[in-house]
Amino acid sequence: MQIAVIAAVVASIASVVDAWGSLGHSVTGTIAQKYLNSNAVKMVSNLVESKYAGSLAGDTANWADTNGRTLIKESAEWHYVDMMAAVPKSCGYVQSDCVGRTCIIAAITDQTKILLDAKCAKSTATTQAVQFLAHFLGDITQPLHNCNRDRGGNDAKLTYNGQQSNFHKIHDTNIPVSYATENGLSGTDAAGLAKLVDSKYASKMNSYTSATFIDLQSVDSANNLLGAIAMASDANALDCNKNAFWGLYDQNPNQDFSGAYYDATKDFLIEQIAKGGYRSAAWMNAIANACAGMTPEPSPTKTTVTSSKTATTANSKSTSSTKPRPPPLAPKPQPNARTVNVSLEPS
């Protein structure tokens, strides 16, 4: 009986963190690889495990799900942030949404610091950091990884294409696969879907990767990178869109979500996958440029995020972990915040 309970808990945790499914993550990785600059190509080729052929494409961005959670047990909580705002009526991030450095915002901050502190030199820690970031920079664009309602939608049961599922899973897996199929692709053709997504959204790349989102220097008073907070907040805002996600779910939770809901939401969701790819490339480029000693360019002044709100989530986060975490980035004075200049061009 005790074994069965433990198994159920483990399965519950796994269902919360498996964002985008293997197809979505492979798409973000494939797009990211295309737009790496020369410094980032060298960094990725040197650091990722040899079985991934020196690339973010393929299964590299799935490593955090397939291997990372086994190697580093506490990383299960690094895939999401329980934003406590009551979607779809209100959205937004406050510092108490990320307790004990066990959310995706802190994870992106800490894995970035590992690479910068090591100047991207090869080690087990830097290899894991690149592979974690390849995954987390996709996860953070998935709206349901940035809200607490029904454990990110895992407890919101529904029907999709006649099959029982949940609100979280259909956005991770079912809708991206349906989109691929609708466009004449196999549900496993990550390269084909990446090419399609890139053709639709490349024109918006610069806005997706502005200094608001790609900033390796500016932190809030909890020592979390403001760029990661901005990415999470951008995705969370979709949880309050009355024309998608929770807004449409509340209108008719008994519908088959492969019909009208899919039609209304697919473009919002696929755009988020595109953002994940472009931001992953830009973030890797910025890290690699910093490790190569390139002079950073000034970025706009950022506002420090503060809150007195107390976090009480369904996915309660512990303030301790079984493995030592890297120390946080030291806060930078916001008026003098700087970021690494980064451009995105096909490699």
Side-chain angles (χ1 to χ4, degrees):
M1 182 64 167
Q2 189 176 21
I3 293 175
V5 171
I6 293 173
V9 171
V10 171
S12 174
I13 293 173
S15 68
V16 174
V17 300
D18 190 17
W20 290 136
S22 60
L23 175 64
H25 277 297
S26 292
V27 169
T28 62
T30 299
I31 292 173
Q33 183 65 30
K34 177 179 178 180
Y35 291 99
L36 294 181
N37 64 22
S38 59
N39 287 330
V41 168
K42 292 176 183 176
M43 178 188 74
V44 168
S45 178
N46 181 50
L47 294 183
V48 300
E49 294 178 41
S50 59
K51 65 181 179 181
Y52 299 126
S55 173
L56 297 179
D59 289 329
T60 310
N62 288 299
W63 174 87
D65 276 339
T66 58
N67 298 93
R69 282 182 285 162
T70 301
L71 292 171
I72 303 178
K73 302 294 185 183
E74 70 270 24
S75 70
E77 293 184 307
W78 300 355
H79 296 245
Y80 59 89
V81 54
D82 279 339
M83 292 193 188
M84 293 295 291
V87 298
K89 293 182 180 180
S90 63
C91 283
Y93 171 80
V94 293
Q95 284 182 6
S96 55
D97 290 336
C98 184
V99 179
R101 308 205 66 74
T102 54
C103 81
I104 192 169
I105 292 167
I108 289 173
T109 299
D110 293 343
Q111 298 305 311
T112 299
K113 178 173 169 53
I114 287 172
L115 288 163
L116 293 177
D117 285 354
K119 299 188 184 302
C120 301
K122 188 175 181 63
S123 69
T124 297
T126 54
T127 289
Q128 291 179 351
V130 164
Q131 292 172 184
F132 270 129
L133 286 172
H135 185 90
F136 295 153
L137 291 165
D139 272 356
I140 203 167
T141 66
Q142 213 274 44
L144 295 173
H145 272 239
N146 298 279
C147 81
N148 180 60
R149 178 176 170 178
D150 291 334
R151 294 191 313 120
N154 279 277
D155 291 339
K157 307 305 180 184
L158 52 78
T159 300
Y160 191 93
N161 199 24
Q163 302 294 316
Q164 291 301 301
S165 189
N166 65 67
F167 200 53
H168 188 103
K169 182 179 179 181
I170 66 169
H171 296 90
D172 281 356
T173 302
N174 299 97
I175 293 176
V177 169
S178 293
Y179 188 85
T181 303
E182 178 188 354
N183 284 279
L185 300 169
S186 162
T188 60
D189 186 1
L193 185 55
K195 183 177 180 179
L196 174 64
V197 171
D198 186 37
S199 71
K200 291 189 65 173
Y201 295 103
S203 62
K204 299 181 180 180
M205 188 189 315
N206 288 341
S207 64
Y208 298 153
T209 59
S210 69
T212 298
F213 302 109
I214 311 302
D215 183 350
L216 307 190
Q217 296 285 326
S218 306
V219 298
D220 69 0
S221 60
N223 293 334
N224 285 320
L225 285 167
L226 296 189
I229 293 172
M231 285 188 265
S233 299
D234 177 60
N236 174 249
L238 284 173
D239 291 313
C240 286
N241 188 322
K242 66 180 180 180
N243 296 313
F245 300 96
W246 290 109
L248 293 184
Y249 174 89
D250 287 341
Q251 290 180 26
N252 184 9
N254 296 317
Q255 66 182 292
D256 187 312
F257 282 74
S258 65
Y261 180 87
Y262 167 78
D263 290 334
T265 306
K266 61 183 179 181
D267 288 332
F268 289 114
L269 197 67
I270 298 304
E271 184 176 16
Q272 291 304 109
I273 292 177
K275 289 178 183 179
Y278 299 133
R279 287 173 182 166
S280 183
W283 199 269
M284 297 292 186
N285 289 350
I287 291 172
N289 286 350
C291 289
M294 293 181 65
T295 304
E297 299 292 336
S299 68
T301 299
K302 303 293 193 302
T303 301
T304 298
V305 181
T306 60
S307 173
S308 60
K309 181 168 163 281
T310 300
T312 54
T313 76
N315 301 311
S316 297
K317 294 179 173 61
S318 168
T319 58
S320 63
S321 62
T322 58
K323 288 180 179 286
R325 299 297 301 278
L329 299 173
K332 300 286 191 286
Q334 296 308 306
N336 298 318
R338 298 172 69 81
T339 186
V340 176
N341 186 40
V342 55
S343 61
L344 290 180
E345 295 181 1
S347 59

